[in-house]
Amino acid sequence: MLHIVNKSATERNSLESCLRLATKGSAVLLIEDAVYAVTKGGTAAANIQAAMADLQIYALGPDLDARGMSARVLDGVKVVDYGGFVDLVAENNVCQSWL
Amino acid sequence: MPMVEVAGKSFEVDEEGYLTNLADWNQDIAGYLAQEEKVEMTDSHWEVVNFLREYYEEYQIAPAVRVLTKAISKKLGAEKGNNKYLYELFPYGPAKQACKIAGLPKPTGCI
Amino acid sequence: MSDMMDDMEGGEGVVKKFMFVNRKAPHGTIYALEGLEVVLVSAAFDQDVSMVFVDDGVYELIKGMNTKGIEVKDFSKTYRALDGYDIEKLYVEQSSMDARGLTEADLIVDVTVLDSAEMASLMAEQDVVISY
């Protein structure tokens, strides 16, 4: 299963709920304002690092670039481009968007 | 959106005649837009138009007239950075006419 | 700017303290850009304007954005034009910066960093507070 989160973790609880409810082995793709969560030094970083034990964490590169955050990405997070986004959707038979 | 044809290529403009895509701009289009505004382009006109394009490149906005005159005064001298000089070059307003010729959107805050 | 608004400048108007509070990240929603445009318009009225960045609003000021990939305007550059519009009072909240791993060196413009109590009292002394 692929979980997609697009809301900032410091503004809404979408990411928190997603990480709590995603089952082991699932993929989580962060896009738009959600990408701030995978950057170093923030309050969401610890949650992401803990979640990486059970989940594959992805972040959309163009959204990181647009926000000036590409150089701050946590180790272990896989940065994908739009093609990688499409691949993730194609590989997973179910996608859940956390709005 | 209306299209205009300049030097064999067509370009999109908005209902007030402002160029839709900043990247489309070139000297031919500037010449066409100036003609539409009945402005005869001299070196002084180009200086202001080029200044506006540089300002937009740096700040991503078209400046208000007050801000433009101040910025021009700083860069090109007080004899050019004033309303009289700019309105002589662009009688219907430097914001409206010079921005249009420079291919920029209408200045932010222009009512 | 319209000629009418130019004529209004220099008039003996009442000067009020306006605070624009930015609490949203850029790009994900339109709030940050709209808020900035309102501030630029407000500059024409010669009021005492301050801009405040709290919560995700501090993300608006990050250096080194490259928006080509998502095909939107990089309006972070526009904050650097505020000085030319005589809007010089920019404040960020320390705890909002801390929670996001940011320091003043990460920001595209010079700001004054306030602790939460200082921010609260600055907010309390305004005539008008407009929040995004």
Side-chain angles (χ1 to χ4, degrees), chain B residues 70-88:
Chain B
K70 206 165 69 176
I72 286 185
S73 185
K74 213 162 148 188
K75 180 141 182 239
L76 305 173
E79 70 279 6
K80 291 177 179 173
N82 62 72
N83 277 337
K84 184 173 178 290
Y85 177 81
L86 293 172
Y87 274 88
E88 267 166 15

Side-chain angles (χ1 to χ4, degrees), chain A residues 18-41:
Chain A
C18 166
L19 295 180
R20 190 174 66 246
L21 298 170
T23 52
K24 194 171 172 145
S26 297
V28 176
L29 171 63
L30 306 184
I31 63 170
E32 299 170 21
D33 286 345
V35 299
Y36 291 115
V38 299
T39 58
K40 290 173 184 155

Side-chain angles (χ1 to χ4, degrees), chain A residues 10-24:
Chain A
T10 36
E11 196 197 325
R12 313 261 193 109
N13 60 4
S14 321
L15 177 66
E16 205 183 311
S17 302
C18 166
L19 295 180
R20 190 174 66 246
L21 298 170
T23 52
K24 194 171 172 145

Side-chain angles (χ1 to χ4, degrees), chain B residues 82-103:
Chain B
N82 62 72
N83 277 337
K84 184 173 178 290
Y85 177 81
L86 293 172
Y87 274 88
E88 267 166 15
L89 293 175
F90 302 99
Y92 287 92
K96 183 177 169 285
Q97 290 188 307
C99 284
K100 189 185 255 187
I101 295 164

Side-chain angles (χ1 to χ4, degrees), chain C residues 61-132:
Chain C
L61 301 179
I62 296 289
K63 261 182 203 163
M65 296 188 190
N66 177 359
T67 57
K68 285 204 174 66
I70 62 167
E71 297 182 5
V72 299
K73 186 210 276 272
D74 177 7
F75 59 89
S76 68
K77 291 176 174 172
T78 308
Y79 294 102
R80 295 178 42 239
L82 288 170
D83 191 44
Y85 281 75
D86 297 321
I87 293 169
E88 290 149 349
K89 296 179 180 175
L90 306 183
Y91 302 95
V92 301
E93 187 196 26
Q94 183 73 60
S95 65
S96 300
M97 299 275 279
D98 293 345
R100 288 160 186 80
L102 303 175
T103 66
E104 264 185 271
D106 296 315
L107 307 183
I108 196 165
V109 282
D110 290 334
V111 297
T112 304
V113 182
L114 302 179
D115 67 29
S116 302
E118 290 168 327
M119 186 64 88
S121 53
L122 183 68
M123 213 171 270
E125 68 187 40
Q126 301 297 315
D127 295 308
V128 182
V129 178
I130 298 170
S131 197
Y132 294 95

